[in-house]
Amino acid sequence: LVHTDSVPLGGKNITTDLAHGLETSLSHAERLKVLYGAALSSSVDSKETVMVATMGEEDQRVMHPVPREALVDIIQPRVEEIFQLVHGVLRDSGYEEMLSSGIVLTGGSCIMPGMVELGEDIFLKPVRRGIPKYSSALADMVAQPRAATVMGLLEEARMARLRGFKVAQKNGSMKTAAGQLKDWFAGIF
């Protein structure tokens, strides 16, 4: 690891934009993003519609059809903004040219159709989705992009623990002997 940084935007902002733009709840906007969201209009059928729940008079939910392209019209500008901010951070870091293998997208929103293609257009580098390699219990739940960050942190913690355990083993014999000697003296006096 040579550099870390962050951009204060992500999938939650896309959901908020959908909720405002479609005048629906955050939970319904999240569902729409997950099921029907796309980052490029070329990723969706122009004739396809989705049912959107909005609040009508007297707080009654009203379902009405909305072209799927309307979701893309809301999603694409936010994704472009996020990618452009990340591109700026990479450029400012001085490490942009070292990314010969390209960019890896993680998080639940990266599975939307068009994310990889839009990323390649903005970064001018290969882009792919990051999927954790995991085959033990619950693999179906954690071997997906939305779990990549958590799985990476857990793997790093596991490796750090193993590194620390090895150091403790190397130093442990001397510490153990000193501790036993200290306990023996304390017991006598």
Side-chain angles (χ1 to χ4, degrees):
L1 183 66
V2 294
H3 180 78
T4 62
D5 211 322
S6 65
V7 173
L9 296 174
K12 185 176 180 180
N13 299 94
I14 297 169
T15 301
T16 302
D17 290 350
L18 282 172
H20 286 34
L22 299 173
E23 298 177 356
T24 190
S25 68
L26 283 171
S27 61
H28 188 64
E30 177 69 17
R31 184 173 179 278
L32 290 170
K33 179 182 77 173
V34 169
L35 295 176
Y36 307 108
L40 283 174
S41 57
S42 61
S43 303
V44 299
D45 179 359
S46 62
K47 296 178 179 118
E48 188 177 357
T49 61
V50 296
M51 297 303 288
V52 176
T54 59
M55 298 304 286
E57 292 181 23
E58 299 178 23
D59 293 333
Q60 297 292 323
R61 283 195 170 230
V62 178
M63 298 292 285
H64 62 279
V66 171
R68 189 171 174 201
E69 283 184 325
L71 273 67
V72 179
D73 290 343
I74 295 169
I75 293 169
Q76 185 173 345
R78 179 61 84 175
V79 174
E80 287 175 350
E81 178 187 17
I82 293 167
F83 285 170
Q84 288 168 351
L85 286 169
V86 170
H87 193 219
V89 167
L90 283 172
R91 196 173 32 255
D92 294 346
S93 75
Y95 292 107
E96 181 181 14
E97 295 307 315
M98 293 182 184
L99 298 176
S100 58
S101 297
I103 308 292
V104 179
L105 302 177
T106 62
S109 294
C110 83
I111 63 172
M112 283 191 295
M115 290 290 282
V116 169
E117 295 83 357
L118 185 57
E120 288 176 341
D121 288 347
I122 291 175
F123 294 111
L124 303 175
K125 294 189 178 300
V127 174
R128 67 178 177 86
R129 288 177 185 91
I131 301 172
K133 292 179 182 173
Y134 185 76
S135 59
S136 295
L138 303 175
D140 58 325
M141 294 186 70
V142 296
Q144 50 187 307
R146 71 179 182 179
T149 301
V150 170
M151 292 303 291
L153 290 170
L154 288 172
E155 178 62 13
E156 177 57 29
R158 184 182 76 81
M159 295 305 293
R161 183 174 180 175
L162 287 175
R163 287 189 301 268
F165 183 71
K166 288 178 183 174
V167 169
Q169 278 184 327
K170 285 181 185 175
N171 298 335
S173 60
M174 196 61 174
K175 285 184 179 179
T176 302
Q180 288 174 347
L181 188 60
K182 178 181 168 190
D183 291 343
W184 182 74
F185 275 111
I188 294 175
F189 301 104

